[in-house]
Structures are given as structure tokens and as C-alpha cells.
Amino acid sequence: MANNKTVSEKNPLGDLRMTKQRKVVYDVLVEGAKDHPTASEVFVRAKELMPSISLATVYNCLETMTQAGVVTQVNMDREASRFCPNLQPHAHFFCSECEEIFDVGLKEKEAPTTPWALPDGMEIDQLLVNMRGVCPKCAAKNSNN
Amino acid sequence: MANNKTVSEKNPLGDLRMTKQRKVVYDVLVEGAKDHPTASEVFVRAKELMPSISLATVYNCLETMTQAGVVTQVNMDREASRFCPNLQPHAHFFCSECEEIFDVGLKEKEAPTTPWALPDGMEIDQLLVNMRGVCPKCAAKNSNN
DNA sequence: TAGCCTTTTTAGAATAATTCTAAGAATAAT
DNA sequence: ATTATTCTTAGAATTATTCTAAAAAGGCTA
């Protein structure tokens, strides 16, 4: 893909306005970069920075940013969506014990579709990988007991 | 008293009863093996075979069978869960144009985790892959226009 | 077979995340 | 400045799913 230094270089939302509310929501996400909050959790944190913000706005902002490709929406089962500002291609791992979500990156030189037998002509726009299991920390804790 | 074959040999639900309702729900799924119906869609089809069946029962049956590992629950974004009786490891592909869901199998000798840089000690119990894009049929249709 | 216990089904109420609505506020365009 | 567009907001509405409590079905033992 060619160099696309456009408006997006200045404003990660491209044509969309970077409003105060959107900034707050984005800041909340970046701040807690590792912890994948739900919309309601974002709402609680955003209220600390801007008490007047509403839940609907948080939903709007998250949706806008997801569309704009600035944040990623993580859906595990049918639980509340979670959001993260990690733009690198990555999978999400949910630990069944500590119930935390971890990002898992790609190995060097690997494409996420590698193992899959894609039919000829199938065009992939998006690939979403959710894993579930026990994280290293919890696994270690278990074997110590 | 002692049966020479284990229950699970006869009954894919193991210890759980294969009730009339469960049979109907399972049959509906196997029949439409390729089309990944939602619970409501299963309900509509099940009613044709057993008019007295209730939606709650369909949900119960689907849950039971998912637990038993006889069917797979497919969650795309936050849309209604879909169900399929394909037990082979496979990914799900959603075509943004015809809005159908396709199963995508693994290449020979590939593991679904291959491309991912899993931290040492991380135990994977389940891996879920959802793709989104344009299916070969729709892609072909587009280039003909 | 009767009696008892557990599992399953059922209709309808309840829940919870998300989206919608409509009006007002903020920003941009003319 | 005026107008047009985009955003925000509170609260209502939606929707898939789960819960509840009672009735029915199925299995087990005597």
C-alpha cells in the first residue's frame, strides 16, 4: 500500500471532528491500554475527566473510532464488547481464571490467515481471533499449589 | 443392568437425555448444516417438526449441546449467536455482501495457533476465528459488473 | 405398577447491552 | 451573521438471552 499521509496524520479520526468528548474517550482507552474496558467502564473513567459526558456519547465515540480504525472492538462470546487502542494485528486471549484479556501478537513474518484453507477468490477484510485458556501467571500459580 | 456399550456411544449428549425436543433441535441443525441459523431460526424450523416446542427450550437445547460439544456457537460481533454442527476445527467467514456464513477449514498439517506468538506457559483451551470479507461468488459477481 | 426423585419443558417476566429518538449545542460553511 | 451540518444528550425502545416457577416427562426402586 502506498504512503497515505493524509488528514489522518494530524487527526486520527480523518474527516471526523476530534471533539472534547472523543478526546476524553480516546485518552481513557490509551491510558488503560492493556485492560480492554467495556463501554460502561470507559464511561465511568471518562466521567472522571468530564463529568457531563453521557453513556450514549461514549457509545457513539467508541463506534466512531472503531469505524475510523483507531480502536478495536473485542467481542468475546456474547459479553459486553471491550475496546482497545492496539492497532497492530493481534489476537485476544481471555484467561478463564483471572478473567483478564491479553493481546497476543503475530510471530515475525507470519500472516494470521496462514493456517486456513481459504477458497480461491475469497477476499478477507478483517480477521478476528479470540482465544480462551489459562494465562502463564495463573498456570504457574496452579502448578505451585 | 450393566450395558455393554457406554451411553455416550449411543448418545452424543453423553449422560444427558436425548429428549424429543433435543432431537428435533439437533436434526434442524444437521439438516441445514451449512447455514448457521440463529436460535430464532432454529425455533421456526423446529416448530415445523414439533409445533409445541418453545423458544426457551430451543435455547436450552442449544446450550446443552454446546456444552456437550456437539454443536458450535458462532458469535459474529454482537449479533445473535449462530449454531453449527461442524465439529472439525474451522473458522467462520462472513460475507459482507450476501451475508452468509461459510466454514473455512485448516490446511493440512497446520495448527490454528501457528502464526501467533504465544507467551511461554499460556494454555489454549479454545480458539475462535471469525473472518469478514467477500465470498468468491460475490467477488466474481462484482468483477463481472 | 406405584411412588418418588430428578431432569426437562414451558410461558412469561426480567435482564442487560446496545441502539434509537428528538431536541438542543457546537462547530463549520457560506 | 446566517445557515447547514455534525455531535451530544437523556431517556425510551429494542433485542437477544436468561431467569423463574410450575407442570410434565422420564427413570429407578420396591
Side-chain angles (χ1 to χ4, degrees):
Chain A
M1 190 184 294
N3 174 3
N4 55 352
K5 285 187 188 177
T6 55
V7 186
S8 60
E9 193 88 4
K10 278 192 124 166
N11 180 352
L13 296 184
D15 288 341
L16 301 160
R17 294 179 195 158
M18 178 52 92
T19 64
K20 287 176 199 165
Q21 287 85 349
R22 286 175 181 164
K23 179 125 193 12
V24 166
V25 167
Y26 186 67
D27 287 350
V28 163
L29 278 180
V30 171
E31 195 179 317
K34 290 274 162 60
D35 78 344
H36 304 84
T38 63
S40 312
E41 287 164 353
V42 171
F43 176 52
V44 170
R45 297 180 204 175
K47 261 185 121 63
E48 286 167 20
L49 304 177
M50 180 188 259
S52 67
I53 201 170
S54 76
L55 179 57
T57 299
V58 169
Y59 271 103
N60 289 342
C61 294
L62 290 171
E63 152 124 59
T64 302
M65 290 171 170
T66 301
Q67 305 279 27
V70 181
V71 310
T72 308
Q73 184 169 1
V74 185
N75 295 304
M76 286 278 183
D77 303 320
R78 305 219 79 249
E79 278 161 29
S81 293
R82 296 176 173 277
F83 298 85
C84 84
N86 182 350
L87 296 180
Q88 300 312 115
H90 65 283
H92 289 106
F93 176 92
F94 176 81
C95 175
S96 319
E97 302 207 0
C98 63
E99 307 204 320
E100 277 182 67
I101 292 183
F102 303 87
D103 288 356
V104 175
L106 279 171
K107 288 182 192 160
E108 293 269 350
K109 295 183 199 161
E110 288 276 10
T113 51
T114 305
W116 301 104
L118 299 174
D120 270 5
M122 188 174 261
E123 294 167 12
I124 310 289
D125 295 332
Q126 195 188 80
L127 190 139
L128 231 138
V129 178
N130 290 339
M131 309 177 189
R132 179 178 285 274
V134 187
C135 75
K137 215 181 215 170
C138 289
K141 212 172 285 173
N142 291 343
S143 58
N144 284 348
N145 289 353
Chain B
M1 50 171 292
N3 221 323
N4 50 356
K5 49 204 151 191
T6 63
V7 182
S8 57
E9 203 148 343
K10 276 193 120 166
N11 181 350
L13 297 182
D15 288 341
L16 301 161
R17 293 181 194 157
M18 177 53 91
T19 64
K20 287 177 199 163
Q21 287 86 348
R22 284 175 181 164
K23 178 123 191 15
V24 165
V25 168
Y26 186 68
D27 287 350
V28 162
L29 277 181
V30 171
E31 195 179 317
K34 290 274 162 60
D35 80 343
H36 303 84
T38 62
S40 313
E41 286 164 354
V42 171
F43 176 52
V44 170
R45 297 182 204 173
K47 260 186 120 64
E48 286 167 20
L49 304 178
M50 180 187 260
S52 66
I53 201 171
S54 77
L55 180 57
T57 299
V58 170
Y59 270 103
N60 288 344
C61 294
L62 290 171
E63 153 123 58
T64 301
M65 291 170 169
T66 301
Q67 305 279 26
V70 180
V71 309
T72 308
Q73 183 169 3
V74 185
N75 295 305
M76 285 278 182
D77 304 322
R78 304 219 80 249
E79 278 160 30
S81 292
R82 297 176 171 277
F83 298 85
C84 82
N86 182 351
L87 295 180
Q88 302 310 114
H90 65 282
H92 289 106
F93 176 92
F94 175 81
C95 174
S96 319
E97 301 206 0
C98 62
E99 307 203 319
E100 278 182 67
I101 292 184
F102 303 88
D103 287 357
V104 175
L106 279 172
K107 288 182 192 160
E108 292 269 351
K109 294 183 198 161
E110 288 275 9
T113 51
T114 305
W116 301 104
L118 298 174
D120 270 6
M122 186 174 264
E123 295 167 12
I124 310 289
D125 295 330
Q126 194 190 79
L127 190 139
L128 230 139
V129 178
N130 290 338
M131 307 178 191
R132 179 178 284 274
V134 186
C135 75
K137 214 181 216 171
C138 288
K141 212 172 287 173
N142 291 343
S143 57
N144 285 347
N145 290 351

